[in-house]
Amino acid sequence: MHPLILVALLQAHPTVCYEVFVRSFYDSDGDGIGDLRGLTHKLDYIAGLGADCVWLMPVAESPSYHGYDVTDYYKVEPDYGTNEDFTTFVTAAHQHHIRVLVDLVLNHTSSEHPWFREALQDSTSPHRGWYRWAPTQNGACANNWHKSPIRDECYFGLFWSGMPDLNYENPAVLDEMKRVARFWLDSMHVDGFRLDAVRHLVEVGNEVSNTPGTHQVLRDYGQYVRGIAPQSYTIGEVWDNPDVILTYYPDQLDAYFAFPISEALIEAVRTGKAGSLLPLVEQFQRAVPAYRFAPFQRNHDQTRTLTALRNDTAGARLAATILLTLPGVPFVYYGEEIGMTGDKPDERLRTPMQWTASSRGFTSGKPWETLQADTLAVNVAAQERRPNSLLNLYRKLGHLRATNRALREGRLEPIESGSDSVLAYWRMHDSSKVVILVNLGRTAAKQPASITQPVRVTWRDLLASGNGRRTSLPTLAPRRAYVYEVNP
């Protein structure tokens, strides 16, 4: 990587990024669908979480509610507003010192995209080679291939028939997707991209993931984006084990989501055992700089944290504290900060944000999807009134991360706790040191012996109100997390 590009990335990487489903965030016009004007209205709330980045799930025109099947890469989904509404939002976000990443779907288009419709109708179309075709076998199509409604042939769509895969063996496809990136960077003023399903870009025979061709496409694409926008940030979805994810470094996209850390984090909190969490963090930390991997709890495809933890609110507090004190660029899915619940099907993972005790906090009309039943008790308005709420913990942790260099940039050093139920680690940057102690268990525990030796230091409780200074560490209460800064 060119040294100037590396410097730009170090200056531009986010501290905390907040994932937003625009359709479910805030409705400004009463049609029951969240929109860009509503999102703009809520930027103070996002900034108040300590987030300096938002990732927007797809905002390009699409026939589906979720937007992952695009029909026009150059036009904002009309349900959300106009291209002008989007640029107005970006300007306002930048005024709040918030970077904007948009979901870019490279792997496939909608079956209703003009490119595919033209290719389907006309076998001599210029866009015919932008997709993959094969003859039927006795009138049938193989797995992941779908029957054409026009002629006796099949087309490839890994996810479903409504999402035909693009063919990156055709150079014209990559050229067009570079133009798409340039449009969003230059004309829409975004700061980067979350790239969907990137491990599937190039298939070879029955191999549909992590092929050499996929790595080459991402290498080319990442280099192009950095070349035209050195301070941009690209992060890819490679839902796989750590050894596979690490093959996507060093010279492809800037960062990737650390799915194994997410899974280990939730498992540790759910079981009360530290398990493989810190070894996984160390594996990523050894391999790449911290700004190049992104831990998270849950995203729009996964059972929400509180549901996964069986409504254990103390566990949700532990998960938040761990996530926001780990190295990397943490991503927070909207609603996790108030303990929203949700399980499959996908629509129920993406329900409207619970601003108040009723849907009126989200829309003056009928919401596109029914809110979760617990909105009466679980909502922003209620938690803002409680100093010790989950929401206020997220706010405190987000601002700590933004202002404390050890938490933002420091290296993680594990501490031998002597107990499977105690997770302990340092975050250290130069002379700044913070210790994180998490008792995952349901009985009190002692502090790790290695940090309780007689030394002339004071410990400042970063989660306490006031100055929170003490000369010794407390016994670790059950299901409780502690964050202390060491003061010589």
Side-chain angles (χ1 to χ4, degrees):
M1 189 178 294
H2 192 282
L4 291 178
I5 291 176
L6 180 59
V7 169
L9 277 171
L10 287 169
Q11 294 171 340
H13 76 269
T15 300
V16 175
C17 202
Y18 188 68
E19 180 189 357
V20 173
F21 184 32
V22 176
R23 182 172 295 270
S24 281
F25 205 62
Y26 187 67
D27 172 23
S28 70
D29 59 10
D31 66 355
I33 295 172
D35 49 48
L36 290 163
R37 292 184 180 184
L39 179 59
T40 304
H41 181 73
K42 292 295 187 180
L43 280 169
D44 284 344
Y45 172 83
I46 296 172
L49 294 170
D52 60 356
C53 163
V54 292
W55 152 28
L56 306 185
M57 288 169 61
V59 293
E61 185 178 67
S62 167
S64 67
Y65 85 94
H66 52 73
Y68 283 99
D69 48 346
V70 176
T71 50
D72 189 340
Y73 285 94
Y74 299 93
K75 181 182 178 184
V76 165
E77 166 55 45
D79 281 348
Y80 297 162
T82 65
N83 285 22
E84 184 180 358
D85 290 330
F86 184 89
T87 55
T88 298
F89 159 71
V90 173
T91 298
H94 289 167
Q95 290 169 349
H96 283 77
H97 307 290
I98 294 173
R99 301 169 178 85
V100 177
L101 310 181
V102 292
D103 224 318
L104 185 53
V105 186
L106 297 184
N107 183 68
H108 49 262
T109 68
S110 169
S111 59
E112 297 181 29
H113 196 293
W115 301 338
F116 184 75
R117 293 176 68 87
E118 178 187 305
L120 192 66
Q121 297 285 342
D122 181 2
S123 61
T124 65
S125 158
H127 290 116
R128 179 75 174 181
W130 289 35
Y131 299 89
R132 297 178 61 201
W133 308 89
T136 62
Q137 300 295 322
N138 298 318
C141 298
N143 191 36
N144 300 324
W145 292 82
H146 310 281
K147 185 74 168 62
S148 164
I150 304 296
R151 55 180 64 86
D152 188 28
E153 63 182 358
C154 309
Y155 64 89
F156 187 81
L158 181 63
F159 292 102
W160 73 296
S161 61
M163 292 178 174
D165 279 36
L166 287 163
N167 176 20
Y168 281 91
E169 293 181 346
N170 184 335
V173 172
L174 184 56
D175 288 345
E176 177 62 23
M177 286 306 179
K178 288 178 179 177
R179 282 190 285 272
V180 169
R182 180 147 217 154
F183 168 76
W184 284 93
L185 290 164
D186 290 354
S187 299
M188 306 296 269
H189 313 304
V190 302
D191 303 288
F193 305 103
R194 180 266 188 183
L195 294 107
D196 180 63
V198 293
R199 68 183 182 136
H200 303 299
L201 293 180
V202 178
E203 297 87 5
V204 178
N206 292 325
E207 293 295 320
V208 298
S209 303
N210 312 314
T211 63
T214 288
H215 290 291
Q216 185 53 49
V217 168
L218 288 175
R219 190 171 291 116
D220 191 339
Y221 205 76
Q223 181 179 13
Y224 175 79
V225 171
R226 286 187 292 272
I228 63 171
Q231 293 195 36
S232 63
Y233 193 71
T234 55
I235 181 164
E237 180 197 25
V238 177
W239 198 333
D240 218 313
N241 67 62
D243 292 336
V244 169
I245 294 171
L246 291 174
T247 66
Y248 284 80
Y249 299 94
D251 57 351
Q252 298 173 47
L253 302 181
D254 301 325
Y256 298 89
F257 290 101
F259 280 89
I261 293 176
S262 163
E263 292 157 8
L265 193 164
I266 297 297
E267 182 69 4
V269 174
R270 189 182 65 79
T271 63
K273 304 292 183 183
S276 63
L277 176 57
L278 292 186
L280 282 167
V281 174
E282 288 187 281
Q283 183 178 0
F284 278 90
Q285 183 176 248
R286 284 192 300 268
V288 293
Y291 71 89
R292 300 202 66 185
F293 66 93
F296 62 101
Q297 290 178 59
R298 292 286 142 143
N299 67 21
H300 61 276
D301 288 324
Q302 298 170 300
T303 301
R304 280 192 176 271
T305 297
L306 202 63
T307 300
L309 297 178
R310 301 172 186 142
N311 294 310
D312 176 7
T313 54
R317 296 178 69 88
L318 298 183
T321 306
I322 296 167
L323 173 67
L324 291 170
T325 58
L326 290 178
V329 178
F331 277 65
V332 175
Y333 185 39
Y334 82 95
E336 294 285 276
E337 73 276 13
I338 59 170
M340 279 178 60
T341 53
D343 208 341
K344 295 281 187 175
D346 286 348
E347 291 88 340
R348 302 307 294 163
L349 304 174
R350 307 165 185 176
T351 52
M353 181 69 174
Q354 295 169 195
W355 295 105
T356 63
S358 78
S359 63
R360 303 292 290 180
F362 165 69
T363 180
S364 60
K366 181 181 178 181
W368 76 272
E369 177 75 7
T370 305
L371 277 67
Q372 298 290 346
D374 61 6
T375 188
L376 186 65
V378 179
N379 60 75
V380 172
Q383 294 201 20
E384 284 183 327
R385 295 191 292 268
R386 301 201 306 270
N388 294 323
S389 68
L390 183 61
L391 172 59
N392 283 315
L393 175 64
Y394 268 89
R395 287 172 170 168
K396 183 170 288 188
L397 288 165
H399 285 287
L400 271 178
R401 193 175 184 94
T403 56
N404 187 291
R405 200 159 186 187
L407 289 176
R408 188 173 69 252
E409 301 175 34
R411 184 171 184 82
L412 180 144
E413 296 288 347
I415 298 168
E416 177 53 55
S417 70
S419 170
D420 288 343
S421 64
V422 175
L423 189 69
Y425 48 97
W426 293 104
R427 295 294 309 281
M428 295 188 282
H429 186 279
D430 295 336
S431 61
S432 178
K433 295 176 66 175
V434 174
V435 65
I436 295 90
L437 304 170
V438 185
N439 184 358
L440 299 163
R442 299 189 181 276
T443 59
K446 294 180 180 179
Q447 315 93 341
S450 63
I451 62 169
T452 58
Q453 304 302 321
V455 288
R456 293 183 178 179
V457 300
T458 57
W459 306 88
R460 185 164 73 94
D461 186 347
L462 296 181
L463 297 182
S465 301
N467 101 11
R469 295 184 186 276
R470 57 189 304 148
T471 56
S472 63
L473 293 174
T475 298
L476 307 180
R479 306 293 281 172
R480 177 87 181 272
Y482 303 82
V483 181
Y484 284 96
E485 185 175 53
V486 181
N487 293 292

